[in-house]
Amino acid sequence: MFHLRAVSILSLCRMAVAPPSYCFVAFPPRAKDGLVVFGKNSARPRDEVQEVVYFSAADHEPESKVECTYISIDQVPRTHAIVLSRPAWLWGAEMGANEHGVCIANEAINAREPAAETEALLGMDLVRLGLERGTTAKEALDVIVALLEEHGQGGNYYEDAHACHSFQSAYLIVDREEAWVLETVGKYWAAEQITEGVKCICNQLSLTTKIDAQHPELRSYAQSQGWWTGEDEFNFSEVFSPADDHLDCCAGKDSLEKKEESITVQTMIDILRDKAGGVCIDSESFLTTASVVSVLPQNRSSPCIHYFTGTPDPSRSIFKPFIFVDDVKLVPKAQSPCFGDDDPAKKEPRFQEKPDRRHELYKAHQWARAVIESDQEQGRKLRKTMLELEKQGLEAMEEILTSSDPLDPTEVGDLFYDCVDTEIKFFK
């Protein structure tokens, strides 16, 4: 009994480390054909299911509230259409996009100041709120920091009744013109604007002395805590990182910066699949449970295209395209079952049970993963066919991006639906 207890305590200690997720952005001319390319691997507890969900734009009654993962806040008059990849038990998202070509990814961060365990907004809630309320990357940033000031961040990042895993948050917020790296510690924050080259962020603070926007009291707060003298140059990550943090953040940064050729969707997908380089996580505690790559053409007459896996381990998953149009067909097969008010995540004390949140795509994909892992010959064939399916999708999207004809919305409204359907049938 003692041995088991010791093992579980050890695993809890390990789990308190922020999961090693990675997100990336590349701008022209490093990215090809005037495209901004965004990518994110979501590393989460191994058994967690992520779903891909779409919400159409909506008008809301005056003074109505929106129920986030743990708290309710004031709703705005109108929310934008969004598509999210999210852990199936919570309201927010690890990553997603909106109809205006804004993409946001979240990173859990360990900082010098421990994150609050008190239930407030999760970093993942702020991803969704930024997408619902921001028409540009900068607008989304302004939304996030205003809500952070008003409501704070805190609460359990995992569906775990035995321990509270709370983290500070960092965000990569991207649109067709620019990106913002936003890093937060409690309600305090700093942000850097990026309009060229490549950028990677992971589970450590990365901002240094180039700060383009910040909380008005950021520096005085650091001084009051004795973390900054006020005389040296202000270096955000040196001031706010834990003492034991070695600031070599990105395994991913190297893989992106070393690419000598132009960065394309395929390049970004290959980087997200990189297990040897540590970008694709498959460890005892964590797994890359979902991935996304988005292409944001700087030419506004071309549509933004978002490729979601909706399944774990991008090296064994298919990236499937989604395009915003007025009449998007919902994809129940990539959505987890809904437990309503009976969901153990919504009842206090929370997480007393763990319901089966696997959706149809996840279940079909579990079979494929098992085959790839166990049977070398059949597994190789299966993976080859999966990559061929993906390639067909990528080539069809390439045609849309290079075509001079306007997009026909009726042709792409059920794009993601059809891709998920084909994938499930193929696994069966």
Side-chain angles (χ1 to χ4, degrees):
M1 183 65 207
F2 168 75
H3 172 69
L4 282 175
R5 175 91 184 116
V7 168
S8 71
I9 287 171
L10 271 173
S11 69
L12 284 181
C13 296
R14 266 205 308 273
M15 286 289 266
V17 176
S21 294
Y22 288 94
C23 37
F24 305 90
V25 67
F27 283 90
R30 285 301 308 278
K32 200 167 167 242
D33 302 332
L35 304 173
V36 178
V37 185
F38 163 88
K40 151 102 174 166
N41 268 353
S42 171
R44 299 280 301 167
R46 287 194 70 88
D47 60 348
E48 187 177 78
V49 176
Q50 276 202 40
E51 58 179 352
V52 178
V53 286
Y54 166 80
F55 297 96
S56 53
D59 295 311
H60 305 280
E61 292 293 316
E63 296 185 21
S64 60
K65 297 279 188 186
V66 53
E67 207 172 298
C68 303
T69 303
Y70 297 129
I71 63 166
S72 290
I73 66 169
D74 291 337
Q75 184 54 286
V76 287
R78 184 166 176 83
T79 49
H80 310 309
I82 55 171
V83 61
L84 310 172
S85 184
R86 67 174 184 187
W89 62 271
L90 52 77
W91 180 85
E94 273 280 281
M95 52 223 182
N98 73 17
E99 60 184 307
H100 301 289
V102 179
C103 298
I104 309 182
N106 167 252
E107 296 284 345
I109 297 276
N110 292 114
R112 194 167 196 162
E113 182 168 297
E117 293 189 5
T118 313
E119 292 186 347
L121 290 172
L122 285 176
M124 292 171 281
D125 292 337
L126 288 161
V127 169
R128 178 168 173 178
L129 290 160
L131 291 170
E132 286 185 339
R133 301 177 180 197
T135 58
T136 64
K138 181 61 169 64
E139 250 182 49
L141 181 145
D142 293 341
V143 164
I144 290 171
V145 298
L147 290 167
L148 201 53
E149 181 73 27
E150 189 177 351
H151 302 286
Q153 58 181 324
N156 205 341
Y157 259 63
Y158 301 149
E159 191 181 11
D160 185 353
H162 304 294
C164 182
H165 313 268
S166 57
F167 299 103
Q168 309 288 9
S169 303
Y171 306 85
L172 183 59
I173 310 170
V174 182
D175 63 23
R176 295 176 191 254
E177 318 273 313
E178 62 177 11
W180 286 85
V181 175
L182 168 63
E183 297 184 343
T184 68
V185 178
K187 70 173 186 175
Y188 299 97
W189 57 274
E192 179 186 1
Q193 181 189 33
I194 294 151
T195 53
E196 58 184 20
V198 297
K199 184 72 180 177
C200 162
I201 72 166
C202 65
N203 63 341
Q204 295 173 317
L205 296 174
S206 67
L207 299 182
T208 56
T209 54
K210 182 183 179 292
I211 295 173
D212 298 307
Q214 63 187 313
H215 188 284
E217 292 155 24
L218 176 71
R219 293 172 192 232
S220 56
Y221 178 69
Q223 268 186 288
S224 73
Q225 297 297 307
W227 298 337
W228 181 54
T229 59
E231 289 161 20
D232 316 333
E233 189 176 23
F234 185 81
N235 180 315
F236 182 79
S237 54
E238 276 182 12
V239 170
F240 284 99
S241 291
D244 58 355
D245 223 358
H246 41 92
L247 298 169
D248 60 347
C249 178
C250 269
K253 185 163 174 272
D254 295 343
S255 49
L256 196 60
E257 286 181 353
K258 280 179 187 158
K259 296 281 177 200
E260 284 169 18
E261 75 280 11
S262 300
I263 291 157
T264 61
V265 176
Q266 189 63 60
T267 324
M268 191 64 81
I269 288 174
D270 293 343
I271 288 169
L272 296 184
R273 285 180 167 148
D274 178 12
K275 282 190 172 169
V279 177
C280 178
I281 301 300
D282 190 349
S283 68
E284 197 182 333
S285 306
F286 299 114
L287 181 65
T288 299
T289 53
S291 307
V292 68
V293 170
S294 292
V295 186
L296 314 174
Q298 291 192 314
N299 172 359
R300 290 188 173 271
S301 62
S302 292
C304 297
I305 304 176
H306 312 282
Y307 300 87
F308 290 91
T309 58
T311 54
D313 190 346
S315 70
R316 294 164 180 173
S317 289
I318 300 174
F319 284 82
K320 299 168 281 292
F322 173 97
I323 295 177
F324 282 94
V325 287
D326 285 343
D327 208 7
V328 168
K329 188 172 182 179
L330 299 177
V331 188
K333 289 174 181 175
Q335 282 180 250
S336 294
C338 179
F339 300 98
D341 292 339
D342 292 332
D343 195 314
K346 290 188 178 165
K347 296 197 288 197
E348 295 189 49
R350 298 194 197 275
F351 315 127
Q352 297 305 297
E353 295 165 60
K354 257 196 183 175
D356 183 356
R357 299 189 188 276
R358 292 174 306 157
H359 45 76
E360 210 173 317
L361 174 63
Y362 187 98
K363 287 177 182 174
H365 182 261
Q366 263 184 318
W367 169 84
R369 271 170 66 207
V371 170
I372 292 170
E373 277 165 26
S374 61
D375 183 326
Q376 284 188 329
E377 184 55 32
Q378 196 192 351
R380 262 198 305 272
K381 279 186 186 162
L382 180 61
R383 189 159 183 276
K384 186 166 176 254
T385 320
M386 286 168 75
L387 290 174
E388 278 165 13
L389 268 180
E390 180 181 273
K391 187 163 174 262
Q392 288 169 17
L394 288 171
E395 285 170 356
M397 294 307 102
E398 186 70 24
E399 278 179 36
I400 286 177
L401 288 176
T402 51
S403 166
S404 53
D405 300 331
L407 182 72
D408 179 355
T410 57
E411 284 191 7
V412 296
D414 48 8
L415 179 64
F416 189 69
Y417 180 96
D418 287 346
C419 291
V420 169
D421 211 43
T422 306
E423 183 175 342
I424 292 172
K425 283 178 180 149
F426 162 68
F427 290 147
K428 284 178 176 168

